[in-house]
């Protein structure tokens, strides 16, 4: 806001609740009017400090995205911009940062257990007399909004010289947020009395006219948010919401409760106005660097023309927004259909304000302010509050449900049951369990308790797996809401054995290898057994707790049946058993299977060569390996000489 000519001595103010208050300028019309006019040029110096990327968790669906941040510095509204350069602004910003870094810093926070919590970090230069005024502004703004977010603002004072410079300030921004994300979260965070957010254009873009002299429409797909507004409406983000440094040479009155002295300006009114900008009352029509749309600009239209000024919700959804500097002249509005407010267009006042009109003052977020003026104790009007409400701030404040117990992540097997519970601190809660922003519905088969404090999902299937189970709780006494933290449902598959171990026959001293192939919910564990007895690693046994078992240097004592118990959260599966046969070296050539290799094996050897069928019938079960003397995998005449050698030279 800029300094308004002081000839306006009194004004009727509409305050929340419909109370009409008459704000007096203490009868100081003459002295106020005599103050030097601080009529400022429209666009003073600005500069932007890029910020680093951050990971943000989106409220509506629990997803995580990477966002870019920045700070945008300008002079405090109402400052005389004459002779002030960007160099001056950067110098003052640098002094502010230097002081805050050097410390000491006084944290001014009166505490807030429900709703918006404003925290002021004060540098050593902040006058002691200013502290009660800062607390007054803090408590007033906190009393209006129920959003469970913290907005931190750093503050300093420094000598900026005379001439009417009130101070310099920056709001922190989250840049280029997808329009679809912006809309979804504005709808998701609606109060009981909110309507307009559901009529924002659907889809991934919003129509915008960046040239007020043309009908050309740009389908804009990203929105710029102040960091505080983003935290209230969209998702998590860290860092300060704003920085303010005031001029020690500017005449402030720190106590508006007894009126504002002649020749002074209400510090509380100015501070609340500047915090209002940090909360999101800004228009990109003031920016000269590029075309852009802020959250407030989603409601900005042209006042004139039947195709530009919406008169119905349907028209609000389709008519293009207007974001242009001073074009068309004096024809900009904020429109929420139930109310339409004239807006500044950039000339002679910045577009991030209501239109200055002394006869029918719109709200504290108008651009002009006078010495000797205050709107104590109800600073914002319903016009101010309605626009804050539209961009995602919860009004009126209420008893926000606080979670004493949050839902806990569950891991269950297919066919099992998952249970989630919450506990809140209010007496009349209404519960709605959701996956992301999608409500769950009791069906008596799969979902139970979707509107109670405890949710049960039975006969769980893989399709139920999610990271976004949450409970939306409403205080039925006043309509205030809160959302629990997100909890995961992990669904595990039971163990399935795809390939069982196979029988193994080795000669004494060789290694025996068994394998099993299994699948299922990780982690899987394995335990091999011999004849039903679990094996432990050591000695001849290796890898008894993996999917492959090795018996090193096997001997006949390892003969037996081997299986594997495969386990996970869902239980155990036992593989088929496979036989291990270890052939002692001394039995090669024992064709009558009497345990000896001698001349008694000659006739069976001849029988096996000449009539294999008769041999198999005569000596059933006698291992083939006893015949395969030369170990070539065949029994034929090639085994005769090795057989003779065994008999004559064992």
């Amino acid at each position: 806001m800029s300094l308004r000519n002081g000839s306006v001595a009194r004004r009727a103010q509409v305050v929340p609740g419909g109370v009409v208050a008459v704000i007096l300028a203490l009868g100081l019309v003459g002295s106020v009017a005599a103050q030097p006019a601080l009529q400022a040029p429209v666009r003073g110096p600005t500069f932007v400090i890029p910020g680093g990327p951050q990971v943000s968790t989106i409220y509506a669906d629990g997803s995580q995205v990477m966002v870019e941040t920045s700070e945008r510095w300008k002079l405090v509204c109402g400052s005389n911009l004459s002779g002030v350069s960007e160099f001056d602004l950067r110098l003052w910003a640098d002094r502010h940062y230097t002081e805050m870094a050097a410390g000491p810093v006084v944290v001014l926070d009166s505490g807030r257990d429900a709703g918006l919590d404003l925290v002021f970090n004060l540098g050593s230069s902040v006058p002691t007399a200013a502290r009660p005024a800062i607390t007054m502004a803090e408590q007033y703004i906190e009393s209006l909004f129920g959003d469970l977010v913290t907005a931190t603002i750093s503050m300093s004072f420094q000598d900026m010289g005379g001439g009417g410079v009130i101070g310099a300030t920056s709001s922190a921004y989250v840049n280029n947020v997808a329009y679809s994300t912006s809309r979804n979260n504005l709808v998701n965070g609606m109060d009981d009395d909110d309507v307009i957010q559901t009529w924002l254009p659907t889809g991934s873009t919003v129509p915008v006219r960046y040239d007020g002299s043309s009908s050309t429409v740009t389908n804009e797909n990203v929105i710029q948010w102040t960091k505080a507004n983003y935290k209230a409406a969209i998702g998590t983000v860290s860092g300060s919401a704003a920085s303010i440094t005031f001029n020690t040479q500017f005449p402030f009155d720190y106590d508006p409760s007894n009126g504002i002295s002649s020749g002074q300006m209400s510090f509380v009114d100015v501070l609340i106005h500047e915090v209002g900008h940090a909360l999101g009352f800004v228009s990109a029509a003031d920016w000269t660097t590029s075309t852009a749309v802020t959250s407030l600009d989603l409601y900005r239209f042209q006042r004139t023309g039947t195709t530009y000024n919406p008169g119905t919700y349907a028209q609000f959804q389709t008519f293009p927004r207007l974001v242009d500097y001073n074009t068309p002249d004096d024809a900009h509005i904020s429109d929420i259909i139930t109310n339409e407010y004239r807006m500044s267009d950039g000339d002679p006042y910045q577009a991030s304000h209501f239109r200055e009109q002394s006869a029918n003052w719109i709200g504290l977020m108008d651009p002009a302010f006078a010495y000797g003026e205050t709107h104590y104790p109800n600073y914002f009007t319903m016009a101010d509050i309605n626009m804050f409400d539209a961009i995602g701030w919860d009004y009126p404040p209420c008893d926000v449900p606080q979670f004493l117990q949050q839902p806990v992540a569950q891991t269950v097997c297919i066919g099992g049951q998952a249970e989630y519970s919450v506990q809140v601190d209010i007496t009349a809660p209404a519960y709605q369990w959701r996956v992301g922003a999608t409500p769950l519905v009791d069906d008596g088969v799969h979902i139970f308790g979707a509107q109670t404090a405890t949710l049960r999902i039975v006969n769980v299937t893989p399709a139920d797996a999610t990271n976004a189970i949450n409970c939306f709780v409403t205080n039925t006494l006043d309509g205030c809401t809160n959302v629990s933290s997100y909890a995961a449902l992990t669904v595990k598959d039971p163990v399935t054995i795809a390939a069982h171990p196979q029988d193994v026959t080795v000669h004494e001293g060789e290694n025996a290898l068994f394998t099993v192939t299994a699948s299922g919910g990780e982690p899987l564990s394995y335990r091999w057994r011999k004849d039903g007895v679990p094996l432990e690693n050591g000695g001849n046994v290796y890898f008894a707790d993996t999917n492959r078992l090795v018996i090193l240097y096997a001997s006949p004592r390892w003969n037996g049946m081997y299986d594997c118990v495969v386990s996970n959260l869902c239980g155990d599966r036992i593989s088929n058993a496979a036989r291990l046969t270890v052939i002692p070296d001394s039995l090669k050539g024992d064709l009558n299977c009497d345990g000896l290799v001698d001349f008694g094996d000659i006739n069976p050897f001849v029988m096996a060569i000449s009539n294999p069928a008769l041999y198999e019938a005569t000596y059933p079960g006698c291992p083939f390996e006893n015949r395969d003397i030369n170990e070539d995998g065949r029994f034929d005449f090639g085994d005769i000489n090795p057989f003779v050698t065994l008999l004559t030279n064992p």
Side-chain angles (χ1 to χ4, degrees):
M1 56 186 162
S2 65
L3 290 182
R4 178 173 40 248
N5 188 299
S7 60
V8 179
R10 61 186 69 220
R11 161 186 292 161
Q13 178 192 15
V14 181
V15 296
V19 179
V20 177
V22 178
I23 305 299
L24 302 179
L26 303 180
L28 300 174
V29 178
S31 60
V32 172
Q35 296 301 318
L38 296 185
Q39 184 62 49
V42 181
R43 287 175 168 171
T46 64
F47 71 92
V48 176
I49 303 175
Q54 293 189 29
V55 175
S56 171
T57 300
I58 303 301
Y59 298 143
D61 59 13
S63 63
Q64 289 191 321
V65 298
M66 189 70 72
V67 297
E68 291 291 336
T69 61
S70 64
E71 291 184 63
R72 184 177 294 272
W73 275 88
K74 66 178 186 66
L75 294 182
V76 168
C77 298
S79 294
N80 185 348
L81 310 184
S82 301
V84 179
S85 67
E86 182 180 326
F87 175 84
D88 296 319
L89 184 62
R90 288 180 179 271
L91 175 63
W92 296 332
D94 183 66
R95 288 175 179 170
H96 170 79
Y97 290 132
T98 300
E99 176 179 327
M100 299 308 298
V105 173
V106 175
V107 178
L108 201 62
D109 181 13
S110 58
R112 179 80 166 155
D113 58 4
L116 171 63
D117 183 16
L118 283 178
V119 178
F120 287 92
N121 290 336
L122 309 184
S124 58
S125 62
V126 177
T128 302
R131 294 184 185 180
I134 298 168
T135 298
M136 184 182 297
E138 172 205 356
Q139 293 177 343
Y140 170 75
I141 297 172
E142 288 178 344
S143 72
L144 296 177
F145 303 117
D147 305 84
L148 292 171
V149 299
T150 298
T152 302
I153 299 173
S154 63
M155 183 185 298
S156 66
F157 277 65
Q158 60 180 289
D159 186 349
M160 301 178 184
V165 173
I166 301 175
T169 181
S170 76
S171 290
Y173 282 82
V174 178
N175 304 316
N176 301 324
V177 181
Y179 168 72
S180 57
T181 299
S182 301
R183 182 192 188 278
N184 291 345
N185 281 270
L186 282 172
V187 172
N188 182 68
M190 289 169 56
D191 303 326
D192 286 355
D193 59 348
D194 285 344
V195 175
I196 193 64
Q197 292 89 343
T198 61
W199 290 96
L200 289 166
T202 58
S204 61
T205 61
V206 57
V208 181
R209 291 168 59 230
Y210 287 119
D211 183 354
S213 63
S214 169
S215 61
T216 300
V217 171
T218 298
N219 291 314
E220 183 60 73
N221 62 358
V222 294
I223 306 298
Q224 318 303 319
W225 293 79
T226 65
K227 189 175 285 187
N229 195 184
Y230 182 90
K231 291 175 70 173
I234 307 298
T236 61
V237 68
S238 62
S240 294
S243 298
I244 307 176
T245 181
F246 288 106
N247 188 359
T248 56
Q249 301 304 306
F250 195 84
F252 287 120
D253 185 322
Y254 293 112
D255 184 7
S257 65
N258 57 4
I260 303 301
S261 301
S262 172
Q264 292 186 314
M265 184 172 288
S266 170
F267 179 81
V268 175
D269 289 73
V270 170
L271 180 56
I272 292 173
H273 178 97
E274 292 302 321
V275 172
H277 287 311
L279 297 183
F281 207 103
V282 290
S283 172
D286 284 329
W287 303 351
T288 60
T289 55
S290 64
T291 55
V293 175
T294 67
S295 58
L296 188 67
D297 289 333
L298 292 173
Y299 305 92
R300 191 179 185 94
F301 295 88
Q302 182 173 324
R303 181 170 178 257
T304 55
T306 57
T307 59
Y308 294 136
N309 185 345
T312 66
Y313 287 117
Q315 291 173 343
F316 173 87
Q317 190 167 64
T318 59
F319 280 15
R321 277 60 183 164
L322 173 65
V323 184
D324 192 15
Y325 174 77
N326 198 36
T327 306
D329 182 39
D330 200 28
H332 296 228
I333 56 171
S334 283
D335 200 328
I336 54 175
I337 301 304
T338 55
N339 296 92
E340 177 182 297
Y341 305 113
R342 300 287 295 273
M343 298 295 292
S344 297
D345 59 17
D347 187 2
Y349 298 107
Q350 291 178 344
S352 301
H353 299 93
F354 290 128
R355 182 174 183 266
E356 169 58 21
Q357 44 189 44
S358 57
N360 295 290
W361 181 62
I362 299 175
L364 189 66
M365 297 311 297
D366 81 349
F369 203 64
Y371 291 100
E373 180 180 2
T374 182
H375 300 281
Y376 171 86
N378 298 299
Y379 302 90
F380 285 141
T381 67
M382 283 309 300
D384 296 304
I385 291 170
N386 283 341
M387 295 315 303
F388 285 121
D389 195 31
I391 62 176
W393 291 97
D394 291 340
Y395 176 84
C398 50
D399 189 4
V400 178
Q402 302 296 304
F403 286 90
L404 306 177
Q405 176 184 337
Q406 296 280 4
V408 178
Q410 303 286 305
T411 299
V412 299
C413 300
I414 293 175
Q417 173 177 307
E419 184 170 293
Y420 299 86
S421 294
V422 294
Q423 183 181 353
V424 291
D425 65 347
I426 57 175
T427 58
Y431 304 93
Q432 178 59 65
W433 288 93
R434 312 181 304 176
V435 175
T438 303
L440 294 172
V441 178
D442 283 350
D443 58 12
V445 177
H446 186 51
I447 305 295
F448 296 85
Q451 294 184 323
T452 70
T454 299
L455 169 72
R456 287 190 301 122
I457 305 175
V458 303
N459 194 24
V460 169
T461 71
D464 295 316
T466 177
N467 290 320
I469 289 180
N470 65 93
C471 190
F472 186 85
V473 179
T474 302
N475 187 340
T476 58
L477 299 180
D478 57 23
C480 215
T481 63
N482 198 5
V483 181
S484 74
S485 59
Y486 281 47
L489 172 55
T490 302
V491 182
K492 297 285 190 180
D493 293 326
V495 174
T496 300
I497 296 179
H500 294 268
Q502 301 297 306
D503 291 346
V504 174
T505 299
V506 297
H507 291 286
E508 186 173 2
E510 295 179 339
N511 300 331
L513 172 67
F514 294 99
T515 62
V516 65
T517 301
S519 61
E522 297 290 345
L524 296 176
S525 64
Y526 301 86
R527 178 57 60 190
W528 287 90
R529 306 187 303 178
K530 177 181 182 293
D531 300 325
V533 178
L535 294 170
E536 300 293 336
N537 290 321
N540 296 78
V541 179
Y542 288 82
F543 311 117
D545 53 358
T546 72
N547 70 326
R548 58 195 298 267
L549 170 69
V550 175
I551 304 298
L552 202 64
Y553 306 121
S555 63
R557 76 181 184 89
W558 290 103
N559 288 340
M561 303 301 293
Y562 290 79
D563 61 26
C564 187
V565 180
V566 186
S567 307
N568 71 356
L569 178 72
C570 303
D572 303 332
R573 289 294 169 89
I574 302 175
S575 73
N576 295 342
R579 181 182 298 276
L580 172 59
T581 302
V582 181
I583 302 171
D585 289 340
S586 61
L587 294 183
K588 279 188 178 294
D590 181 17
L591 272 75
N592 61 4
C593 287
D594 64 353
L596 301 173
V597 179
D598 54 20
F599 291 106
D601 294 299
I602 294 176
N603 287 338
F605 184 89
V606 173
M607 183 187 298
I609 287 284
S610 60
N611 191 344
L614 178 60
Y615 174 81
E616 296 286 352
T618 304
Y619 301 101
C622 202
F624 173 82
E625 287 77 8
N626 289 15
R627 285 171 270 170
D628 184 16
I629 311 301
N630 64 359
E631 298 183 2
D632 64 355
R634 302 187 302 274
F635 177 63
D636 53 21
F637 291 105
D639 293 296
I640 294 176
N641 288 337
F643 178 65
V644 173
T645 299
L646 282 175
L647 292 177
T648 59
N649 188 15

